[in-house]
């Protein structure tokens, strides 16, 4: 018996459907509060406090350990923790004295701030007003199109990548968000691609930022001679890595030659027209018979029910608000891009992460 059946006693099927529809809209209307609660516990470092003690803690113990809190309000935190327990971000158990003890779960381990493998910086970025507010302009760009600017531009008067240069705090959050997701995805790529890098002697990471992702690949495959390729002002701040040469340039003009091209979360930021230009330049840069392009990006399956299906659809909404033409692509979308740019075949490899590996071959 489902929990709500008794509530429908004496209701007609029509009345029951109407009530369920109302509940669904209330739920979607208020689901942002889960993200707000999650943001607050990350900012307060609640998971790190519990992790530091290595055991579940009471509310009073947690409050005593919150940094920079001159007069913490335990009753307010208790309401936030109630949400987090219901969403299984934290566990709750009763002590012998009747106190509620809060512990870590498999989810809260991903919001630890003091660890390499964390999604906390990305969540803080996604919930920052600069990042979030453009969503309120989606209906406007649907009416008008993006000829007068993206939703991000309409909201802030600047495009997203311009904004990172204008607001130091947003730039910091943006960079930290990219670094943390790069670590998570790079680990999944190296594990899931298996022998994919073995035959590659030279590799170019297009849009590789300051080289973090590429350094993980080279560390796992030290035989690779790697080039980290990005805009000149980006690579100018890149640290030195063994086996990696930093090269500045413009992917819309040309790309350095190599056995293979690697692009992680690059093409989803760009329109089909822009992607065609990038992929054509990739094709010119690799050998005709043995070359390949390795794309790490999401393959959207809107009708699917896989682990990351809903996350992929949500990311597509973010791209709709932030980018002109950027989108998460279905397999048919990818197939069309490869056909337009002269790639004879492709292969999709699922990995244990939000994106997949998409190999494209000239022949």
């Amino acid at each position: 018996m489902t929990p709500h059946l008794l509530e429908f006693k004496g209701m007609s099927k029509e009345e029951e459907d109407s009530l369920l529809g109302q509940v669904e809209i209330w739920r979607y209307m208020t689901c942002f509060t889960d993200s707000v609660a999650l943001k607050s516990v990350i900012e307060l470092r609640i998971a790190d406090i519990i992790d530091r003690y290595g055991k579940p803690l009471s509310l009073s113990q947690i409050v005593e350990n919150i940094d920079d809190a001159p007069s913490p309000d335990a009753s307010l935190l208790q309401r936030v923790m109630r949400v987090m327990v219901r969403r299984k971000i934290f566990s709750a158990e009763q002590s012998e004295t009747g106190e509620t003890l809060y512990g870590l779960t498999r989810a809260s381990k991903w919001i630890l701030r003091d660890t390499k493998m964390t999604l906390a910086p990305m969540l803080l970025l996604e919930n920052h007003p600069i990042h979030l507010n453009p969503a309120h302009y989606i209906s406007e760009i649907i009416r008008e199109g993006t000829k007068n600017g993206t939703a991000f531009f309409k909201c802030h008067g600047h495009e997203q990548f311009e904004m990172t240069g204008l607001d130091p705090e947003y730039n910091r959050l943006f960079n930290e968000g990219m670094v943390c997701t790069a670590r998570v995805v790079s680990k999944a790529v190296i594990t899931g691609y298996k022998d994919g890098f073995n035959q590659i002697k030279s590799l170019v990471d297009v849009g590789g930022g300051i080289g973090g992702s590429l350094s993980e690949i080279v560390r796992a495959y030290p035989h690779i001679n790697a080039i980290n390729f990005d805009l000149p002002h980006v690579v100018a701040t890149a640290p030195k890595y063994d086996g990696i040469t930093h090269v500045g340039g413009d992917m819309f003009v040309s790309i350095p030659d190599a056995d293979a091209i690697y692009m992680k979360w690059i093409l989803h930021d760009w329109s089909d027209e822009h992607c065609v230009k990038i992929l054509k330049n990739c094709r010119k840069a690799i050998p005709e018979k043995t070359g390949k392009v390795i794309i790490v990006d999401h393959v959207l399956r809107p009708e699917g029910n896989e682990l990351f299906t809903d996350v992929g659809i949500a990311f597509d909404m973010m791209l709709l608000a932030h980018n002109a033409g950027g989108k998460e692509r279905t397999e048919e979308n990818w197939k069309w891009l490869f056909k337009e740019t002269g790639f004879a075949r492709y292969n999709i490899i699922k990995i244990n992460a939000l994106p997949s590996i998409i190999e494209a071959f000239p022949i």
Side-chain angles (χ1 to χ4, degrees):
M1 179 180 289
T2 54
H4 61 254
L5 280 183
L6 289 177
E7 299 174 27
F8 297 145
K9 189 175 181 180
M11 278 189 177
S12 67
K13 183 64 169 64
E14 183 179 357
E15 290 171 328
E16 179 182 326
D17 285 345
S18 177
L19 183 58
L20 285 175
Q22 181 189 152
V23 169
E24 288 166 2
I25 297 301
W26 278 111
R27 185 170 71 246
Y28 296 132
M29 184 193 310
T30 57
C31 65
F32 75 95
T33 59
D34 290 343
S35 194
V36 169
L38 190 53
K39 178 188 178 187
S40 68
V41 299
I42 289 174
E43 291 175 329
L44 294 168
R45 294 180 179 264
I46 303 302
D48 293 283
I49 291 170
I50 298 171
D51 183 61
R52 192 159 62 241
Y53 278 80
K55 63 179 182 178
L57 299 179
S58 68
L59 198 65
S60 59
Q61 289 174 308
I62 293 171
V63 167
E64 287 170 3
N65 284 276
I66 296 175
D67 293 333
D68 300 319
S71 54
D73 192 318
S75 65
L76 297 182
L77 178 59
Q78 188 273 332
R79 289 160 64 182
V80 172
M81 294 299 284
R82 181 168 57 199
V83 177
M84 293 290 90
V85 169
R86 186 160 181 86
R87 300 295 177 248
K88 296 181 170 52
I89 305 298
F90 294 104
S91 63
E93 58 188 64
Q94 296 299 309
S95 70
E96 294 179 357
T97 60
E99 279 188 301
T100 300
L101 301 177
Y102 298 97
L104 300 181
T105 66
R106 64 187 183 189
S108 49
K109 291 174 183 178
W110 281 97
I111 60 168
L112 291 168
R113 299 285 297 275
D114 302 324
T115 182
K116 274 187 75 174
M117 300 301 286
T118 178
L119 288 172
M122 190 63 173
L123 189 135
L124 294 177
L125 169 65
E126 295 296 349
N127 280 274
H128 190 280
I130 289 178
H131 211 70
L132 197 58
N133 289 347
H136 296 293
Y137 292 79
I138 288 176
S139 60
E140 188 172 332
I141 63 167
I142 289 173
R143 287 193 184 98
E144 301 177 1
T146 56
K147 60 183 180 297
N148 294 321
T150 61
F152 197 99
F153 183 86
K154 287 181 178 295
C155 181
H156 299 299
H158 299 277
E159 294 295 2
Q160 182 180 26
F161 293 115
E162 294 174 353
M163 201 67 185
T164 57
L166 296 172
D167 189 296
E169 173 66 8
Y170 180 60
N171 184 57
R172 181 186 64 80
L173 286 173
F174 188 89
N175 289 334
E176 289 177 357
M178 296 304 103
V179 168
C180 85
T181 54
R183 286 181 185 140
V184 173
V185 173
S186 294
K187 181 179 179 181
V189 168
I190 292 167
T191 303
Y193 202 31
K194 298 180 180 177
D195 297 330
F197 291 112
N198 279 340
Q199 304 305 314
I200 297 173
K201 294 181 180 179
S202 58
L203 179 70
V204 175
D205 186 354
V206 174
I210 60 173
S213 293
L214 190 58
S215 70
E216 298 291 332
I217 294 171
V218 172
R219 187 177 293 114
Y221 298 89
H223 70 278
I224 292 178
N225 180 27
I227 293 175
N228 178 54
F229 182 68
D230 212 310
L231 294 169
H233 75 272
V234 175
V235 297
T237 62
K240 291 183 178 180
Y241 295 106
D242 290 339
I244 296 176
T245 302
H246 298 293
V247 176
D250 185 342
M251 64 185 174
F252 294 107
V253 177
S254 66
I255 290 169
D257 293 343
D259 294 337
I261 305 295
Y262 181 79
M263 288 187 288
K264 179 181 67 63
W265 270 335
I266 300 298
L267 297 182
H268 78 164
D269 282 332
W270 297 97
S271 68
D272 288 343
E273 181 183 0
H274 286 96
C275 286
V276 166
K277 291 179 181 177
I278 297 168
L279 286 169
K280 282 184 176 179
N281 286 336
C282 288
R283 199 181 186 289
K284 292 175 185 176
I286 59 175
E288 180 74 18
K289 294 183 179 180
T290 59
K292 62 180 173 180
V293 176
I294 306 161
I295 299 164
V296 180
D297 234 315
H298 189 63
V299 179
L300 192 64
R301 296 177 176 88
E303 307 303 323
N305 193 28
E306 299 171 349
L307 277 177
F308 289 102
T309 297
D310 285 344
V311 181
I313 291 171
F315 262 75
D316 188 54
M317 287 297 295
M318 296 177 201
L319 290 166
L320 190 155
H322 292 168
N323 301 78
K327 61 185 176 182
E328 300 294 359
R329 291 177 167 87
T330 64
E331 183 172 351
E332 282 300 309
N333 296 148
W334 288 112
K335 185 176 180 180
W336 181 88
L337 278 179
F338 297 141
K339 183 178 178 182
E340 288 293 305
T341 52
F343 288 91
R345 59 190 178 93
Y346 67 92
N347 182 38
I348 296 173
I349 303 169
K350 293 183 181 180
I351 58 175
N352 295 328
L354 172 59
S356 295
I357 296 170
I358 310 163
E359 298 175 304
F361 305 91
I363 60 173

